[in-house]
Amino acid sequence: MLSYLHAFHAGNFADVQKHAALTLALAMMQAKKTPIACFDTHAGSAVYDLTGERARKTAEADTGVQRLWRLRNSLSSPDWQPMLEVLASENPGNSELETYPGSPAWLAGFARDADTVTAFELHPTEGRQLAGWARDAGVRVVQQDGLKGLLQKLPPPQPRLLTLIDPSYEIKSDYTSVAETLTKAWKKCRHGVYLVWYPILTSGLQEQLVSALKGGEVRKVLRSEVMLDTPPERGMVGSGMLVVNPPWGFEQRFAAMMDELQGENGLGWSSSITWLVPE
Ligand code: SAM
């Protein structure tokens, strides 16, 4: 039984890191004309109402994307602009954001005609909402397990691949399942770009994923982490992204984006980027 609903967390600091990595990787891949197959293994419902009861209950966007939005005119990295333009078009004339796009909406917003977007979502209600949205967005929705579904679809017919793996980690075995699936997916499509999100928890559960990959076969794994300067005593104290086969130059450009949001004038985080597994 799945109980996680992303509407409680949409636009939080982790979404800012995750969606910045996703949109930068896709934009950099699009520097070449060849079509890209995009997969989103845990898609959520695609569009989130930041004024709704669920979002207001946690108010997580207040310390995430709303802060980014307030900083929009002083950000120096040009790589924030594509994201900010999407947010502006979704929120015309609003000084506070009211609508926040989820990962399939970010992918669909940047996909070119020849690129494809396939989104998996297992939760029945989220899946129905996603499917309703996807009809006009040109996104293929598959209501099945995203890890199994991804492996069934690889390798794609298109020459290039971008995959986001963003589970809710409700099941503790998700950490090892993600490492196993990523390894199998990489063996089916070694040149693919894979982005994997994980929470950084006081329990340290994420180490199961990180250490499995550190000692594993997948090469070229970049790790970005943002740690909250004022963390809660228990639970999520930071957010991590693994990027397998990042486009050339991604490391420096993404580091610049994360770094400029450090400290109390930014998103209240400290950022680091290192190679978990080199070439
Ligand atoms: N990727 C979304 C975004 O960035 O906007 C957020 C996704 S949320 C963290 C995780 C989603 O995965 C939830 O909507 C949950 O219902 C869904 N989910 C959980 N287990 C799944 C599975 N095995 N396969 C596909 N989706 C699953």
Side-chain angles (χ1 to χ4, degrees):
M1 178 70 189
L2 297 170
S3 59
Y4 178 94
L5 288 172
H6 198 61
F8 287 99
H9 310 287
N12 68 4
F13 78 99
D15 264 9
V16 172
Q17 180 208 27
K18 180 204 311 172
H19 296 147
L22 183 67
T23 53
L24 178 64
L26 181 56
M28 291 183 76
M29 289 174 76
Q30 288 175 334
K32 288 186 193 154
K33 279 193 185 146
T34 39
I36 305 165
C38 303
F39 289 95
D40 190 345
T41 60
H42 298 73
S45 58
V47 180
Y48 299 97
D49 175 8
L50 297 183
T51 68
E53 205 178 312
R54 289 172 177 166
R56 291 316 307 153
K57 188 162 184 187
T58 58
E60 288 187 19
D62 294 3
T63 48
V65 73
Q66 299 287 14
R67 280 208 203 170
L68 177 78
W69 188 241
R70 279 197 292 280
L71 293 167
R72 64 192 178 281
N73 296 321
S74 56
L75 295 169
S76 52
S77 166
D79 287 321
W80 284 112
Q81 285 316 310
M83 256 184 102
L84 293 170
E85 280 163 23
V86 170
L87 291 173
S89 72
E90 296 285 332
N91 295 272
N94 288 343
S95 53
E96 284 265 296
L97 299 173
E98 293 181 358
T99 300
Y100 186 71
S103 50
W106 287 110
L107 288 171
F110 289 103
R112 302 163 298 184
D113 288 348
D115 300 331
T116 58
V117 180
T118 305
F120 299 94
E121 172 56 52
L122 197 55
H123 191 290
T125 323
E126 294 293 90
R128 268 197 298 278
Q129 211 177 315
L130 176 67
W133 165 85
R135 274 194 285 277
D136 294 334
V139 169
R140 294 172 202 172
V141 172
V142 191
Q143 294 189 22
Q144 76 164 103
D145 177 278
L147 297 179
K148 288 198 182 92
L150 174 69
L151 294 177
Q152 286 164 4
K153 301 265 185 208
L154 296 187
Q158 291 89 339
R160 307 176 77 211
L161 169 72
L162 172 68
T163 297
L164 173 66
I165 301 177
D166 178 27
S168 39
Y169 297 100
E170 275 175 277
I171 306 164
K172 286 195 177 132
S173 60
D174 277 350
Y175 294 97
T176 47
S177 307
V178 167
E180 284 162 17
T181 302
L182 179 62
T183 307
K184 286 182 189 161
W186 178 77
K187 286 182 180 169
K188 283 173 172 257
C189 191
R190 286 189 188 232
H191 63 272
V193 176
Y194 302 87
L195 294 104
V196 180
W197 179 81
Y198 60 92
I200 301 175
L201 303 169
T202 45
S203 66
L205 274 174
Q206 70 280 357
E207 282 310 313
Q208 293 176 10
L209 165 66
V210 174
S211 60
L213 291 173
K214 203 170 180 177
E217 295 167 82
V218 181
R219 312 312 302 165
K220 275 184 93 175
V221 187
L222 189 66
R223 168 161 65 167
S224 155
E225 290 195 337
V226 292
M227 301 295 296
L228 291 174
D229 295 336
T230 315
E233 256 171 53
R234 267 198 311 246
M236 192 164 90
V237 291
S239 167
M241 282 299 292
L242 301 173
V243 188
V244 178
N245 292 324
W248 189 84
F250 177 92
E251 180 186 355
Q252 293 74 16
R253 286 168 65 173
F254 191 57
M257 293 172 82
M258 296 296 100
D259 284 355
E260 73 173 314
L261 295 182
Q262 293 194 104
E264 59 182 22
N265 295 326
L267 260 67
W269 69 34
S270 304
S271 152
S272 66
I273 290 204
T274 51
W275 285 96
L276 182 70
V277 186
E279 203 151 344

